[in-house]
Amino acid sequence: MNANTGSSAISTPKSVSKSKERAQALQRITLIGMVLDLVLGAAKIIVGIFGHSYGLIADGIHSLSDALSDVLVLVLAHVAGKAPDDDHPYGHGKFETVGSVLMGSLLIGVAGALAWDSIIRLFSDTLLQKPEWPVLVVAAFSVLSKEWIYRATRRVGEKYRSDLIIANAWHSRTDAFSSIAVLLAAGGAMAGVLWLDVVAAIVIAILVGHVGWRLSLSGLRQLVETAVPEESSLSFAQTAAAVDGVEGLHFLRARAVGAETLVDVHIKVAPYVSASEGHHIGVLTTRALRNAHPEIADVTCHVDIEGNNAELKQRQSVHRKYLAAADKLPDRDRIEREIGTCLSNHDVELTLERLQLHYLNQQVEAELLISFDDSAISLRGSHDMAGETLRSTLLERLQPIGISELRIWWRHDLPPVDQPTLKL
């Protein structure tokens, strides 16, 4: 029994409005950062060339790579914000993850190029020149402005739970760090230690490469559907287990899809609840999880009536055992045919109004609600005798096919027969 109430099933105009608000906020902060990166990149390269600072030129290239990544973020954030469709029924959240991997790869490439060129320049016979004071001014402005955009971008990313935006914020902070390196190196070079300026470019390359590696690794972990942190899974499990009607959890697993989390949970309910009540408990579990954990976008809730909280291998073993037993258990159609044959051959006109089956402990229990004509009973004998005859006939036909327990209930307008429950 599954109670799958995902985002599309319970979406409301309010949730659509929040999604639109999220997309607009992410685009706005990214556009601000892109304009800043373009201005800083151009300023650093121009001042670096005329101010004789190779470190500032490298930092300018880094800023332009930030602007390029901002464009990538804008495109991918727009795609990731689209509603689920036929091709992407779980939404487009993984486009953000792809963006993180691409951005990380871009940073690693930029870092490699900067490091190689800086090392060649450091050990070559090229005459190094002393930087001039405008280099210090641009570097200082870069430190302040990039730290500001880092804090603003990260605040938006955390508010709307966007790994891509948070990754872009850290990209901005690496530019601030690299500008600090340029500021210190340029000051040292102006004091006479000229090689510090080239070393600053190498330090920048290492910083950029480290951030790129972290972004790529984080994105790849999501693409291969690595589980969410254990503390998150534990919190999800505690929320589900606290729902009224849930007697335990068989297991729970969760995975990240971009900024969102998908959860699969198996809950255990009392063995004799109806299908509709079991589904209702599953809906309550889904609602509780999504209300308590806003990052959860979709919950697949499987409702079970027996089992235990064993480890995965034990659960798989139990599942295989149930599958093997299921092939030997009768299905509803066969049971109804056998009961119908018994009722049609009875000397009293009987009607099966309801049949409820319980597949428990690799066995089947049946509950029958049967009605018949009270006047017909009065003509043919007491209902007690009719009930005993019916029991005997049903026992004879149902026991060989795997019915372990039989309960017979009569219509309320007829007194119940003695001992309505028979165990076979």
Side-chain angles (χ1 to χ4, degrees), residues 46-121:
I46 293 173
V47 173
I49 293 174
F50 291 99
H52 312 299
S53 173
Y54 186 72
L56 190 61
I57 295 174
D59 201 21
I61 295 174
H62 184 195
S63 295
L64 292 181
S65 74
D66 279 355
L68 180 60
S69 70
D70 290 333
V71 175
L72 183 63
V73 168
L74 285 172
V75 174
L76 291 174
H78 173 71
V79 175
K82 291 184 177 179
D85 53 30
D86 292 339
D87 292 331
H88 303 88
Y90 290 96
H92 299 75
K94 281 198 173 181
F95 280 94
E96 285 195 19
T97 307
V98 172
S100 297
V101 175
L102 291 177
M103 190 185 305
S105 302
L106 173 65
L107 289 177
I108 293 174
V110 170
L114 288 177
W116 176 256
D117 193 54
S118 300
I119 292 173
I120 294 298
R121 183 178 293 270

Side-chain angles (χ1 to χ4, degrees), residues 238-265:
Q238 291 172 341
T239 300
V243 175
D244 187 26
V246 175
E247 297 191 347
L249 301 183
H250 286 189
F251 80 103
L252 181 146
R253 61 186 177 186
R255 55 195 171 95
V257 178
E260 301 175 332
T261 300
L262 305 184
V263 176
D264 299 325
V265 60

Side-chain angles (χ1 to χ4, degrees), residues 251-328:
F251 80 103
L252 181 146
R253 61 186 177 186
R255 55 195 171 95
V257 178
E260 301 175 332
T261 300
L262 305 184
V263 176
D264 299 325
V265 60
H266 284 220
I267 62 174
K268 180 185 176 183
V269 300
Y272 292 102
V273 302
S274 65
S276 59
E277 184 181 358
H279 181 269
H280 178 66
I281 295 172
V283 171
L284 293 179
T285 303
T286 296
R287 186 177 66 182
L289 283 168
R290 297 194 63 189
N291 288 344
H293 308 280
E295 69 272 21
I296 296 179
D298 186 89
V299 178
T300 299
C301 183
H302 184 85
V303 182
D304 294 326
I305 42 77
E306 60 185 355
N308 53 51
N309 296 318
E311 295 297 329
L312 179 60
K313 290 184 179 179
Q314 293 175 320
R315 289 200 312 269
Q316 292 174 339
S317 175
V318 171
H319 184 62
R320 286 194 296 269
K321 180 178 65 175
Y322 287 165
L323 288 178
D327 293 334
K328 302 176 182 178

Side-chain angles (χ1 to χ4, degrees), residues 7 34 77 106 124 174 182 226 231 237 240 249 256 259 272 354 395 399:
S7 56
M34 183 177 67
L106 173 65
S124 68
T174 61
V182 170
T226 302
E231 57 270 20
L249 301 183
Y272 292 102
R354 185 181 303 162
L395 285 173
Q399 188 174 15

Side-chain angles (χ1 to χ4, degrees), residues 95-410:
F95 280 94
E96 285 195 19
T97 307
V98 172
S100 297
V101 175
L102 291 177
M103 190 185 305
S105 302
L106 173 65
L107 289 177
I108 293 174
V110 170
L114 288 177
W116 176 256
D117 193 54
S118 300
I119 292 173
I120 294 298
R121 183 178 293 270
L122 182 64
F123 292 100
S124 68
D125 296 331
T126 304
L127 181 62
L128 300 177
Q129 295 180 286
K130 181 184 297 186
E132 299 182 7
W133 67 267
V135 172
L136 300 178
V137 175
V138 173
F141 177 76
S142 176
V143 171
L144 297 176
S145 59
K146 293 300 288 187
E147 180 65 18
W148 169 79
I149 196 64
Y150 158 76
R151 292 177 182 272
T153 304
R154 184 174 181 178
R155 185 164 54 248
V156 172
E158 290 177 345
K159 178 180 179 180
Y160 294 100
R161 301 187 307 278
S162 173
D163 288 342
L164 184 61
I165 295 299
I166 293 175
N168 202 35
W170 277 104
H171 193 179
S172 296
R173 184 166 243 194
T174 61
D175 203 6
F177 289 158
S178 63
S179 295
I180 292 176
V182 170
L183 188 63
L184 296 176
M190 292 173 69
V193 188
L194 299 180
W195 52 267
L196 282 178
D197 187 57
V198 181
V199 170
I202 298 176
V203 172
I204 293 170
I206 294 174
L207 289 172
V208 173
H210 176 68
V211 173
W213 169 254
R214 287 178 55 190
L215 294 182
S216 296
L217 184 61
S218 175
L220 288 173
R221 285 174 60 86
Q222 287 193 30
L223 288 178
V224 298
E225 298 191 346
T226 302
V228 299
E230 184 177 356
E231 57 270 20
S232 296
S233 293
L234 180 60
S235 180
F236 298 161
Q238 291 172 341
T239 300
V243 175
D244 187 26
V246 175
E247 297 191 347
L249 301 183
H250 286 189
F251 80 103
L252 181 146
R253 61 186 177 186
R255 55 195 171 95
V257 178
E260 301 175 332
T261 300
L262 305 184
V263 176
D264 299 325
V265 60
H266 284 220
I267 62 174
K268 180 185 176 183
V269 300
Y272 292 102
V273 302
S274 65
S276 59
E277 184 181 358
H279 181 269
H280 178 66
I281 295 172
V283 171
L284 293 179
T285 303
T286 296
R287 186 177 66 182
L289 283 168
R290 297 194 63 189
N291 288 344
H293 308 280
E295 69 272 21
I296 296 179
D298 186 89
V299 178
T300 299
C301 183
H302 184 85
V303 182
D304 294 326
I305 42 77
E306 60 185 355
N308 53 51
N309 296 318
E311 295 297 329
L312 179 60
K313 290 184 179 179
Q314 293 175 320
R315 289 200 312 269
Q316 292 174 339
S317 175
V318 171
H319 184 62
R320 286 194 296 269
K321 180 178 65 175
Y322 287 165
L323 288 178
D327 293 334
K328 302 176 182 178
L329 297 177
D331 57 18
R332 173 175 286 271
D333 287 342
R334 184 179 180 187
I335 296 172
E336 286 182 339
R337 287 197 304 269
E338 297 292 343
I339 295 174
T341 301
C342 291
L343 298 184
S344 63
N345 293 335
H346 206 273
D347 58 354
V348 177
E349 184 177 352
L350 303 174
T351 302
L352 178 64
E353 294 196 359
R354 185 181 303 162
L355 172 62
Q356 188 166 0
L357 301 175
H358 302 284
Y359 289 81
L360 301 170
N361 300 317
Q362 305 176 52
Q363 296 176 329
V364 182
E365 301 177 15
E367 296 182 4
L368 286 66
L369 177 61
I370 299 176
S371 65
F372 53 85
D373 187 351
D374 194 12
S375 62
I377 283 293
S378 65
L379 292 174
R380 291 174 173 81
S382 71
H383 57 78
D384 290 340
M385 185 177 296
E388 290 298 333
T389 302
L390 179 61
R391 284 197 195 94
S392 299
T393 305
L394 287 173
L395 285 173
E396 182 179 350
R397 296 191 69 95
L398 296 179
Q399 188 174 15
I401 67 173
I403 302 299
S404 64
E405 187 173 339
L406 177 65
R407 301 181 184 90
I408 302 176
W409 308 97
W410 306 96

